[in-house]
Amino acid sequence: MSKLVIVGTVAFDAIETPFGKTDKILGGAATYIGLSASNFNVDSAAVSVVGGDFPQEYLDLLSNKNVNIDGIEIVKEGKTFFWSGKYHNDMNSRDTLVTELNVLEHFSPVVPEAYKDAEVVMLGNLHPMVQQGVLDQMTKKPKLTILDTMNFWMDIALDDLHAVIKNVDVITINDEEARQLTGEYSLVVAARKIHEMGPKYVVIKKGEHGALLFHDDNMFYAPALPLEEVFDPTGAGDTFAGGFAGYLAKTEDYSFENMKNAVIYGSTLASFCVEKFGTERMQNLTKDDVEYRLKDFKKLTQYNIELS
Amino acid sequence: MSKLVIVGTVAFDAIETPFGKTDKILGGAATYIGLSASNFNVDSAAVSVVGGDFPQEYLDLLSNKNVNIDGIEIVKEGKTFFWSGKYHNDMNSRDTLVTELNVLEHFSPVVPEAYKDAEVVMLGNLHPMVQQGVLDQMTKKPKLTILDTMNFWMDIALDDLHAVIKNVDVITINDEEARQLTGEYSLVVAARKIHEMGPKYVVIKKGEHGALLFHDDNMFYAPALPLEEVFDPTGAGDTFAGGFAGYLAKTEDYSFENMKNAVIYGSTLASFCVEKFGTERMQNLTKDDVEYRLKDFKKLTQYNIELS
């Protein structure tokens, strides 16, 4: 089993959806990625920063899920990153109400010594220079590096983003961001242009419409499981990325064929994430839950046409 | 092999997309459905109406594809239905520029005697009373009836629509229309409500995001093939429906399992339709083209996760 380094925010979120609203709850990209990857029992470590206001019980929650927290710096006199957002009725779009960077503003990531030779590195959505900073600390070239990003960095740090994208194997990005990054509407053409920027594998996340995996001229598509109710989409993309990275770290097979499975696992785990507010559902996920839902996924996607 | 009755418009279309524009070209739901179903060599008949201005060569084109045209009434002194539309840059939305009903206004469908015992009936998008009129002429209860419709009829003839929906086995409808018909945002919930209206099978078409098939608590999902370029989306939904109906008529297996394959064939054929203006691509499709693209579909959708 490979070691997995996860860099990303560990944060407070306050979320409002048509179904209700929360006070400050546990959030952040590294949190969702870590919880999701923990379903594969990989040896993972989160690299992040929180303030003195961050409850020990949240850190314990990660530890108990086998996510090493030595790389989560605690700035005693600082405040934890806080995001607040409100989803529209269709759940596909949201307004950001509050973004308080706090300790994130001067964050300089430190990868714990024991994880500097990790085989898999998952760079969650953060400033591209922070992401590059993590790559620079690895003493052995990782077998797989995965980068997630968002339009915000394209707007304010495009050169830095291009610099780090060049150095990763896989990029996960949503459809609108892929279009923004490339200026191409067709996702097939956009993926090809992103290939040319560096990543050999491109994952385009389409929310409720699933995810596409591109590698050279090969494509693979995984739907999102159609749900009766999407309660809170927060963290679904990170949960997808965590499942993707976790499955690959566990299986140690970084081929395109195995990445297909990783995309299916990512989609499966993301389908749980949206069922409750924040990380609630991801905290109480059993092996049986995951296996059962994978069966649903197979039923949803498998058919039997014989070709000559 | 089953007989297939197809009711729908046979029309002139004038189309404008970011890639160019056409004069009046061959269009209409029954045309696209017929051309698509012809790939399965089924014994099909189109029931429709055209004016004296409709070129014989277009009728010959259908005949040559093994679509019986005895049920296409020619109103010598009338003009053929004409639709003109302009697609926006994203190709997902369009403005209707012109709709001239012409001979369609007083259309009373007549099913040819030889097809009144057809096993499969495909009711293309038309006034629900016209669709019901075709069902009423069938002398033997069809093994499968499929209805396509659109929001326009929900706006102006909802009661008639409910009346005919009650009598069909399968409905094909797009996502926005499913939401309008049921008042439900979740497609899972919308499909359940449509089941309660009558159809045992519900197909929700999501355009570039693929199609969902629902039956009781079972769901199946087929993506649309991601394309480098969508040249003209006109007729893609009808082509999907024609592939779906044609495959089922050919195989004579109306089970949910076989409908999954029918959805895949429908998606495969629709992926050709959008490659050129109007019916152009559908007129010149070979068996090899279809087989080859089905292989692409398999590559796009198949993976190999073993479950315990």
Side-chain angles (χ1 to χ4, degrees):
Chain A
M1 187 170 305
S2 299
K3 282 190 266 190
L4 169 65
V5 165
I6 298 161
V7 62
T9 53
V10 172
F12 289 129
D13 286 349
I15 302 160
E16 192 173 340
T17 82
F19 298 101
K21 60 190 288 186
T22 70
D23 288 327
K24 284 188 180 186
I25 57 172
L26 175 61
T31 307
Y32 283 102
I33 294 168
L35 288 175
S36 186
S38 75
N39 289 285
F40 303 97
N41 297 318
V42 288
D43 182 7
S44 70
V47 176
S48 193
V49 63
V50 294
D53 57 347
F54 198 73
Q56 184 63 38
E57 63 169 294
Y58 286 169
L59 293 171
D60 293 346
L61 192 152
L62 289 171
S63 294
N64 291 338
K65 291 282 183 183
N66 215 13
V67 180
N68 182 295
I69 57 167
D70 295 347
I72 302 182
E73 183 189 355
I74 302 172
V75 181
K76 284 262 175 270
E77 66 286 7
K79 284 177 70 185
T80 301
F81 172 56
F82 173 56
W83 175 83
S84 173
K86 180 178 173 169
Y87 288 87
H88 301 157
N89 280 330
D90 67 2
M91 288 293 208
N92 279 323
S93 53
R94 68 185 185 192
D95 293 324
T96 289
L97 304 177
V98 182
T99 307
E100 292 173 6
L101 285 181
N102 298 331
V103 294
L104 209 59
E105 201 164 357
H106 301 290
F107 174 46
S108 177
V110 179
V111 179
E113 211 53 50
Y115 290 88
K116 287 189 172 171
D117 61 351
E119 289 84 356
V120 181
V121 177
M122 173 74 230
L123 303 170
N125 175 42
L126 266 179
H127 194 296
M129 288 183 74
V130 173
Q131 294 178 317
Q132 182 62 51
V134 168
L135 289 185
D136 292 343
Q137 292 173 53
M138 304 306 290
T139 52
K140 245 178 71 181
K141 185 176 162 54
K143 296 216 170 111
L144 192 76
T145 49
I146 307 161
L147 175 140
D148 188 50
T149 189
M150 70 183 294
N151 50 358
F152 181 71
W153 308 115
M154 298 173 202
D155 293 337
I156 71 158
L158 186 59
D159 288 348
D160 295 331
L161 183 59
H162 274 294
V164 67
I165 283 179
K166 218 172 171 171
N167 299 327
V168 299
D169 301 306
V170 186
I171 186 170
T172 68
I173 190 170
N174 79 27
D175 43 0
E176 282 319 306
E177 291 156 359
R179 287 172 175 140
Q180 177 171 346
L181 188 59
T182 61
E184 295 289 343
Y185 186 80
S186 159
L187 298 178
V188 179
V189 181
R192 191 188 306 135
K193 284 204 171 178
I194 298 172
H195 278 316
E196 288 163 8
M197 295 175 190
K200 289 187 290 292
Y201 304 91
V202 176
V203 177
I204 297 182
K205 300 173 288 181
K206 306 202 299 169
E208 65 164 321
H209 301 302
L212 280 160
L213 167 67
F214 294 89
H215 173 56
D216 295 335
D217 289 333
N218 300 305
M219 287 188 285
F220 177 69
Y221 178 85
L225 193 73
L227 297 169
E228 296 215 5
E229 207 169 84
V230 170
F231 203 80
D232 171 18
T234 309
D238 294 316
T239 301
F240 173 89
F244 180 81
Y247 178 79
L248 292 171
K250 177 192 164 198
T251 55
E252 298 186 295
D253 172 356
Y254 309 111
S255 67
F256 178 70
E257 281 308 311
N258 199 46
M259 272 189 204
K260 293 180 178 181
N261 295 346
V263 167
I264 294 288
Y265 269 98
S267 292
T268 301
L269 289 163
S271 77
F272 289 110
C273 176
V274 303
E275 288 182 343
K276 295 199 174 174
F277 269 121
T279 60
E280 193 182 340
R281 187 69 182 94
M282 298 310 291
Q283 290 181 30
N284 300 296
L285 211 52
T286 66
K287 261 199 154 21
D288 279 355
D289 290 336
V290 177
E291 284 268 305
Y292 197 82
R293 188 146 298 179
L294 269 171
K295 282 182 186 147
D296 286 344
F297 247 91
K298 282 200 142 183
K299 280 198 229 166
L300 181 71
T301 54
Q302 307 266 300
Y303 55 94
N304 190 25
I305 294 179
E306 295 303 328
L307 295 172
S308 54
Chain B
M1 189 174 300
S2 298
K3 282 191 266 190
L4 169 64
V5 165
I6 298 161
V7 62
T9 53
V10 172
F12 290 130
D13 286 350
I15 301 159
E16 192 173 338
T17 81
F19 297 100
K21 60 191 289 185
T22 70
D23 289 326
K24 283 188 179 185
I25 57 172
L26 174 61
T31 308
Y32 283 102
I33 294 168
L35 288 175
S36 187
S38 75
N39 289 286
F40 303 97
N41 296 318
V42 288
D43 182 6
S44 69
V47 175
S48 193
V49 64
V50 294
D53 58 347
F54 197 73
Q56 184 62 40
E57 61 168 296
Y58 286 171
L59 293 171
D60 292 345
L61 192 152
L62 290 171
S63 294
N64 291 339
K65 291 283 183 182
N66 216 13
V67 180
N68 181 294
I69 57 167
D70 294 348
I72 302 183
E73 182 190 355
I74 301 173
V75 181
K76 283 264 175 270
E77 67 286 3
K79 283 177 70 185
T80 301
F81 171 57
F82 172 56
W83 174 83
S84 173
K86 180 178 174 170
Y87 288 87
H88 302 157
N89 281 331
D90 67 1
M91 287 294 207
N92 279 324
S93 54
R94 70 186 184 191
D95 293 324
T96 289
L97 303 176
V98 182
T99 307
E100 293 173 7
L101 285 181
N102 298 331
V103 294
L104 209 59
E105 200 164 358
H106 301 290
F107 173 45
S108 178
V110 179
V111 179
E113 212 52 52
Y115 289 89
K116 286 189 173 169
D117 60 351
E119 289 86 355
V120 180
V121 177
M122 173 72 230
L123 303 169
N125 174 42
L126 267 179
H127 194 296
M129 288 183 74
V130 173
Q131 295 177 317
Q132 182 62 52
V134 168
L135 289 185
D136 291 343
Q137 291 173 54
M138 304 306 290
T139 52
K140 244 177 71 183
K141 186 177 160 55
K143 296 215 171 115
L144 193 74
T145 51
I146 308 160
L147 176 140
D148 188 50
T149 189
M150 69 183 293
N151 49 359
F152 181 70
W153 308 115
M154 297 172 202
D155 293 336
I156 70 157
L158 187 59
D159 287 349
D160 295 332
L161 183 60
H162 274 294
V164 67
I165 283 179
K166 217 172 168 170
N167 298 327
V168 299
D169 301 308
V170 186
I171 186 170
T172 67
I173 191 170
N174 80 27
D175 43 0
E176 282 319 306
E177 290 156 359
R179 286 171 176 142
Q180 178 172 345
L181 187 60
T182 61
E184 295 289 344
Y185 187 80
S186 159
L187 298 179
V188 179
V189 181
R192 190 187 305 135
K193 284 203 170 177
I194 297 172
H195 278 316
E196 287 163 9
M197 295 175 190
K200 290 187 290 291
Y201 304 92
V202 176
V203 177
I204 297 183
K205 300 174 289 182
K206 307 202 297 170
E208 65 163 323
H209 301 303
L212 280 160
L213 167 67
F214 294 90
H215 172 56
D216 294 336
D217 288 334
N218 301 306
M219 285 188 286
F220 176 69
Y221 177 86
L225 194 73
L227 296 169
E228 296 215 3
E229 206 169 86
V230 171
F231 204 79
D232 171 19
T234 309
D238 294 317
T239 301
F240 172 90
F244 180 81
Y247 178 79
L248 292 171
K250 177 191 164 197
T251 54
E252 298 187 294
D253 171 357
Y254 310 110
S255 67
F256 178 70
E257 281 308 310
N258 198 46
M259 272 190 205
K260 293 180 178 181
N261 295 346
V263 168
I264 294 288
Y265 270 97
S267 292
T268 299
L269 288 163
S271 77
F272 288 109
C273 176
V274 303
E275 288 182 343
K276 295 200 174 173
F277 270 121
T279 60
E280 193 181 341
R281 188 70 182 94
M282 298 311 290
Q283 290 180 30
N284 302 296
L285 211 53
T286 66
K287 261 198 154 21
D288 279 355
D289 290 336
V290 177
E291 284 269 304
Y292 197 83
R293 188 147 298 180
L294 268 171
K295 282 183 187 149
D296 286 344
F297 247 91
K298 282 199 143 185
K299 280 198 226 164
L300 181 71
T301 55
Q302 307 267 297
Y303 54 92
N304 190 26
I305 294 180
E306 296 302 328
L307 295 172
S308 53

